[in-house]
């Protein structure tokens, strides 16, 4: 139980793929061939933007805001990328949703010039934030002040490493701190319904509550 | 120098910049452009070079020299890349190259990373000695005259990497292309904190009263900035809310229509004492800062725009901003979160009324806007991105890099 948690954070640099789509048919064709890195960027990394409107990825955002195809935007928003074991399976699901929509609406409108969908990728740089913690108290202090990109890296990006079922914080609470309940509580925070700051607040509240319970139980013993 | 941004820029950016300082310490990072003063590129280089030096990176900034003919050609290239019809001859391209060849003989181009800004010095790539060469395009080249673009591309595609400000400004080439938006400097004269006395001083200078809400648009007097549309919106607002309007900017000296636009604006304002048309001389940064800080709502109702950094400037001062949904403005204004995107004078008027009647909403938007700029549009982020590209170019092959 002496494991140290070392916070890491990341920055992403956007790289253009040169592919763009004016309407849903062009989008569908591009989606079928763009790199896995591009799909990763437009879905998983959407949450790095830090603002949650009614969309959960760039594709649904474009469908809703630029094409004004509300129903399609809702369907695309409902896709949880962490449900898929790899990007190719996620790509198939995205294509299926677009194909089904095109059956009902076979003549999609064009986006305004300049408002086309531009497929991008990213280069991600990961580095140590210079913050190390040894217990829940130190963790609580740190989580309140670390950069939001550390939250993204440990809470969102980590989900890919645990097949959508966990995150770095829960793993540490569970395996190093012996806090299974706390670990589980964090696993059940809906990643798509909060901004990164919202996630920070929820994690801090859960840890604070765990600390309070620890203190109460130790007082009861003494 | 980097300490000046402590407590202002995101901590993570400063941590990474210091790490880059250790990685690239004493290595040479050369910037080349075509002017030492005037224009956004020179302004950003003036601020960026000391930051890089503060990181112990050997930053150098060289400026190419050219004759009148050279700059007349590069102006035409600039216009043609933005879609204007221009006539080019083979001799003009030869002169463009020859001037760059002469500069290459005089300039020290030996560096570990070389960032060439805009089309004027683009042919310098032919005189590359070593290092990573990056072409930085600050212009919207989404709809260029293709003959001109194809000639320039001969040079650009020889670089290791190209950088554009917005994804839709980029052209497809066979090299890596990155998207790096421009930025504002939070400690510069235009954006630093001002005391109430400094703000009052500017208000006094222009006889601006503080007794009513202030609507402000800062931009040069150019039809694409739609100053008439802003006055129309103000007239619509005025029926419901007493307010004053300030249109501040300088006439576009390189635009023969500049004076005509100012005359049109004056005529349309029709001596309304509550409309202030301020023609500001160059280097009015502190006054612009003060005007933005005294405003209740800031507009950037452009019909066509490059990036529109005045939006970030106003957001940094915690102002709700209404902007036309063009150029880089939608990247800065998150509709309904940090301001509103509008498409007509009617839309602008409606949103101004909403903000004037909901000060809590205006305050919330202003606060969010400042945080959004802090995380996305400060100069430290731009320096970080340039260094990241340099690092990525030296570690090709992976999309995840660990420092």
């Amino acid at each position: 139980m002496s494991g140290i948690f070392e916070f890491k954070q990341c920055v992403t640099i956007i790289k253009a793929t040169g592919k763009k789509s004016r309407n849903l048919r062009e989008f569908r064709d591009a989606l079928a061939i763009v790199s896995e890195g591009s799909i990763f960027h437009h879905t998983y990394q959407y949450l790095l933007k830090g603002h949650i409107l009614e969309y959960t990825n760039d594709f649904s955002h474009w469908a809703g805001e630029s094409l004004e195809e509300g129903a399609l935007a809702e369907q695309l928003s409902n896709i949880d990328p962490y449900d898929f074991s790899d990007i190719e399976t996620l790509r198939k699901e995205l294509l299926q949703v677009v194909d089904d929509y095109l059956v009902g609406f076979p003549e999609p409108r064009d986006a305004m010039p300049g408002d086309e969908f531009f497929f991008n990728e990213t280069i991600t740089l990961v580095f140590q934030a210079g913050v190390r913690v040894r217990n829940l108290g130190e963790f609580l202090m740190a989580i309140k002040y670390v950069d939001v990109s550390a939250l993204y890296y440990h809470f969102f990006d980590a989900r890919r490493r645990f097949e959508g079922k966990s995150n770095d914080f829960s793993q540490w609470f569970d395996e190093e701190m012996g806090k299974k309940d706390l670990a589980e509580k964090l696993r059940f925070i809906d990643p798509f319904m909060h901004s990164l700051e919202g996630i920070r607040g929820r994690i801090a509240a859960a840890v604070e509550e765990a600390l309070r319970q620890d203190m109460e139980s130790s007082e009861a013993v003494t | 120098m980097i300490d000046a941004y402590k407590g202002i820029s995101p901590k993570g950016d400063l941590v990474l910049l210091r790490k880059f300082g250790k990685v690239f310490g004493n290595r040479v990072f050369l910037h080349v452009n075509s002017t030492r003063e005037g224009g956004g590129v020179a302004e950003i280089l003036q601020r960026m070079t000391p930051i890089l030096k503060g990181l112990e990176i050997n930053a150098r900034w060289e400026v190419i020299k050219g004759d009148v003919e050279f700059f007349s050609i590069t102006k035409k290239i600039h216009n043609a890349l933005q879609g204007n019809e221009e006539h080019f001859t083979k001799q003009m391209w030869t002169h463009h190259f020859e001037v760059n060849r002469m500069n290459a003989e005089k300039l020290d181009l030996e560096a570990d990373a070389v960032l060439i800004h805009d089309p004027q010095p683009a042919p310098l790539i032919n005189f590359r000695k070593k290092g990573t060469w990056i072409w930085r395009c600050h212009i919207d080249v989404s709809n260029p005259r293709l003959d001109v673009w194809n000639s320039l591309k001969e040079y650009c595609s020889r670089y290791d990497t190209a950088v554009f400000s917005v994804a839709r400004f980029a052209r497809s080439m066979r090299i890596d292309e990155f998207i790096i938006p421009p930025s504002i400097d939070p400690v510069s004269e235009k954006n630093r904190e001002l005391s109430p006395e400094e703000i009052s001083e500017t208000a006094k200078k222009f006889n601006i009263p503080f007794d009513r809400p202030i609507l402000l648009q800062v931009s040069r007097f150019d039809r694409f900035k739609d100053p008439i549309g802003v006055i129309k919106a103000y007239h619509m607002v005025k029926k419901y809310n007493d307010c004053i309007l300030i249109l501040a900017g300088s006439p576009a000296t390189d635009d023969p229509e500049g004076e005509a636009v100012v005359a049109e604006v004056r005529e349309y304002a029709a001596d309304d004492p509550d409309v202030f048309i301020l023609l500001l001389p160059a280097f009015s940064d502190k006054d612009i800062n003060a005007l933005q800080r005294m405003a209740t709502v800031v507009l950037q109702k452009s019909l066509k725009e490059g990036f529109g950094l005045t939006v970030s400037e106003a957001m940094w001062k915690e102002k709700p901003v209404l902007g036309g949904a063009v150029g880089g403005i939608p990247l800065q204004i998150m509709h309904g979160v940090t301001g509103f995107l509008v498409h007509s004078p009617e839309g602008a008027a409606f949103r101004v009324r909403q903000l004037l009647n909901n000060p809590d909403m205006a305050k919330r938007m202003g606060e969010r806007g400042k945080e959004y700029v802090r995380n996305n549009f400060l100069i430290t982020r731009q320096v970080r991105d340039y260094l990241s590209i340099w690092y990525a170019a030296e570690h090709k092959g992976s999309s995840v890099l660990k420092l």
Side-chain angles (χ1 to χ4, degrees):
Chain A
M1 294 213 188
S2 59
I4 286 171
F5 189 89
E6 176 125 32
F7 281 88
K8 291 193 175 80
Q9 59 190 78
C10 61
V11 299
T12 56
I13 311 297
I14 294 177
K15 198 171 156 190
T17 66
K19 290 188 176 58
K20 66 173 179 178
S21 309
R22 272 175 304 181
N23 58 49
L24 203 51
R25 288 206 182 277
E26 288 184 8
F27 173 78
R28 191 251 173 250
D29 292 344
L31 185 63
I33 57 166
V34 287
S35 66
E36 291 189 2
S38 183
I39 291 179
F40 174 73
H41 168 61
H42 292 297
T43 52
Y44 293 93
Q45 291 187 328
Y46 180 78
L47 296 147
L48 247 186
K49 292 181 179 174
H51 283 278
I52 302 294
L53 298 170
E54 57 257 58
Y55 310 107
T56 63
N57 56 65
D58 285 326
F59 303 139
S60 59
H61 194 129
W62 183 67
E65 297 294 312
S66 301
L67 298 181
E68 297 179 7
E69 302 285 3
L72 176 65
E74 286 173 7
Q75 287 159 20
L76 289 169
S77 264
N78 206 36
I79 294 176
D80 178 351
Y82 298 111
D83 277 348
F84 303 90
S85 56
D86 56 63
I87 302 276
E88 283 311 319
T89 326
L90 170 60
R91 188 200 304 267
K92 273 184 195 149
E93 178 65 17
L94 289 163
L95 285 170
Q96 190 63 54
V97 167
V98 175
D99 285 341
D100 288 350
Y101 191 82
L102 279 168
V103 171
F105 302 94
E107 290 181 22
R109 74 189 80 183
D110 280 359
M112 297 286 281
D115 217 7
E116 301 89 347
F117 191 86
F118 293 86
F119 287 90
N120 296 323
E121 303 170 342
T122 51
I123 300 273
T124 303
L125 287 104
V126 181
F127 56 100
Q128 286 174 351
V131 180
R132 306 170 89 207
V133 297
R134 292 165 299 182
N135 54 50
L136 279 193
E138 288 180 2
F139 182 91
L140 180 60
M141 281 300 289
I143 199 72
K144 287 181 176 174
Y145 298 104
V146 288
D147 193 89
V148 286
S149 76
L151 295 170
Y152 169 80
Y153 181 76
H154 291 297
F155 192 78
F156 289 93
D157 197 59
R159 294 172 77 89
R160 291 190 304 125
R161 300 192 287 275
F162 298 109
E163 296 179 342
K165 295 182 182 71
S166 191
N167 58 76
D168 288 341
F169 300 141
S170 289
Q171 291 304 112
W172 186 67
F173 293 147
D174 195 342
E175 292 167 9
E176 303 292 337
M177 296 285 106
K179 295 280 178 193
K180 287 195 184 313
D181 289 352
L182 178 60
E184 209 55 13
K185 208 168 185 176
L186 260 61
R187 287 185 187 118
F188 278 98
I189 295 175
D190 186 336
F192 296 102
M193 290 299 119
H194 311 286
S195 65
L196 285 165
E197 286 300 340
I199 294 286
R200 188 201 297 275
R202 272 161 182 80
I203 294 173
V207 175
E208 205 152 10
E209 173 62 19
L211 275 169
R212 194 182 57 78
Q213 283 175 5
D214 279 359
M215 285 171 76
E216 280 173 2
S217 56
S218 68
E219 275 168 16
V221 170
T222 54
Chain B
M1 183 65 195
I2 198 75
D3 285 345
Y5 298 91
K6 214 170 158 184
I8 298 174
S9 294
K11 188 169 161 262
D13 286 356
L14 301 181
V15 169
L16 185 53
L17 283 176
R18 289 203 174 91
K19 282 187 192 292
F20 276 134
K22 287 189 182 135
V23 171
F24 293 127
N26 294 323
R27 295 182 72 192
V28 181
F29 190 10
L30 170 65
H31 288 261
V32 184
N33 78 325
S34 62
T35 175
R36 187 74 63 184
E37 281 172 350
V41 178
E43 195 179 314
I44 203 86
L45 287 176
Q46 278 161 14
R47 316 286 312 178
M48 197 177 277
T49 312
I51 296 176
L52 288 165
K53 283 185 176 163
L55 296 170
E56 308 288 326
I57 293 169
N58 186 355
R60 289 198 290 116
W61 173 17
E62 301 277 10
V63 176
I64 59 163
K65 291 191 171 67
D67 54 13
V68 176
E69 190 188 349
F70 174 77
F71 286 108
S72 154
I73 293 167
T74 56
K75 177 78 183 166
K76 280 175 191 284
I77 294 175
H78 186 107
N79 290 341
L81 290 177
Q82 291 191 311
N84 293 356
E85 179 91 45
E86 297 283 355
H87 177 67
F88 279 84
T89 61
K90 201 175 168 207
Q91 284 83 349
M92 288 162 77
W93 286 111
T94 306
H95 191 68
H96 182 231
F97 177 80
E98 277 304 311
V99 169
N100 272 279
R101 188 184 58 74
M102 286 188 281
N103 275 282
E105 283 172 7
K106 288 176 192 154
L107 297 176
D108 177 8
L109 295 177
E110 198 142 330
D112 299 292
V114 181
L115 195 55
I116 301 288
H117 295 264
D118 281 335
Q120 299 93 331
L124 288 178
I125 185 69
N126 286 21
F127 308 97
R128 170 188 194 148
K129 291 182 176 160
K130 63 166 195 170
T132 298
W133 279 60
I134 304 163
W135 183 59
R136 196 339 169 183
C137 181
H138 296 270
I139 307 169
D140 176 353
V141 289
S142 52
N143 286 301
R145 306 294 308 176
L146 279 179
D147 54 333
V148 175
W149 169 249
N150 287 336
S151 298
L152 190 69
K153 198 170 83 171
E154 292 293 315
Y155 302 121
C156 304
S157 56
R158 300 184 62 191
Y159 283 77
D160 296 303
T161 292
V163 177
F164 296 88
S165 297
V166 181
R168 70 174 182 77
F169 288 4
R171 303 291 309 170
S172 192
M173 293 188 276
R174 292 182 306 277
I175 58 173
D176 284 345
E177 293 178 36
F178 288 92
I179 308 303
I180 299 184
S183 60
I184 63 165
D185 188 342
V187 301
S188 68
E189 196 65 358
K190 205 191 266 183
N191 298 304
R192 70 173 173 87
E193 290 289 333
L194 293 182
S195 66
E197 292 73 30
E198 286 174 302
I199 296 171
S200 297
E201 204 176 282
T202 297
K204 214 169 156 187
K205 184 163 139 188
F206 299 115
N207 298 315
I208 296 165
F210 277 144
D211 58 345
R212 283 159 292 164
I214 296 173
L215 318 183
L216 168 74
Q217 174 156 303
V218 177
S219 65
R220 57 196 190 122
F221 288 91
D222 172 332
R223 290 200 179 89
F224 287 130
K225 311 294 181 192
D226 199 19
I228 300 288
V230 173
I231 300 175
K232 280 183 185 165
Y234 154 80
H235 286 153
M236 291 178 224
V237 173
K238 191 88 168 172
K239 281 199 282 184
Y240 303 92
N241 299 90
D242 194 10
C243 58
I244 67 169
L245 170 67
I246 306 173
L247 293 169
S250 45
T253 47
D254 56 350
D255 176 3
E257 291 190 335
E259 275 181 35
V261 175
V262 174
E264 270 171 39
V265 170
R266 283 195 199 287
E267 195 184 333
Y268 201 79
D271 295 327
D272 182 338
D274 289 339
V275 177
F276 294 76
I277 298 164
L278 308 181
L279 298 183
L280 303 175
F283 308 111
S284 296
D285 288 0
K286 193 174 143 203
D287 282 333
I288 291 170
N289 188 346
L291 290 169
Q292 287 167 329
R293 286 182 190 276
M294 70 180 78
T296 317
V297 177
V298 175
L299 295 100
Q300 188 58 58
K301 217 202 89 45
S302 306
L303 304 171
K304 196 173 172 183
E305 189 58 81
F307 196 80
L309 267 180
T310 47
V311 168
S312 280
E313 285 169 17
M315 283 163 66
W316 182 245
K317 286 138 195 156
E318 298 190 46
K319 302 299 170 184
V321 185
L322 308 186
V326 292
I329 294 177
L331 291 180
Q332 298 168 82
I333 296 179
M334 302 214 52
H335 185 66
V337 180
T338 64
F340 292 111
L341 293 170
V342 296
H343 307 269
S344 63
E346 289 77 8
F350 181 78
R351 295 303 187 183
V352 169
R353 284 167 55 203
Q354 242 185 332
L355 288 164
L356 295 185
N357 287 284
N358 293 282
D360 286 347
M361 178 173 77
K363 186 169 181 288
R364 215 166 41 244
M365 282 187 162
E367 287 165 358
R368 284 174 178 162
K370 181 165 189 174
E371 286 316 301
Y372 194 62
V373 172
R374 189 193 306 283
N375 290 318
N376 295 284
F377 298 111
L378 296 188
I379 191 169
T380 37
R381 191 271 309 148
Q382 198 176 355
V383 177
R384 179 203 83 182
D385 285 357
Y386 283 151
L387 295 174
S388 299
I389 285 181
W390 180 5
Y391 190 78
E394 291 192 353
H395 296 82
K396 270 188 188 273
S398 174
S399 60
V400 180
L401 300 170
K402 292 190 174 162
L403 265 103

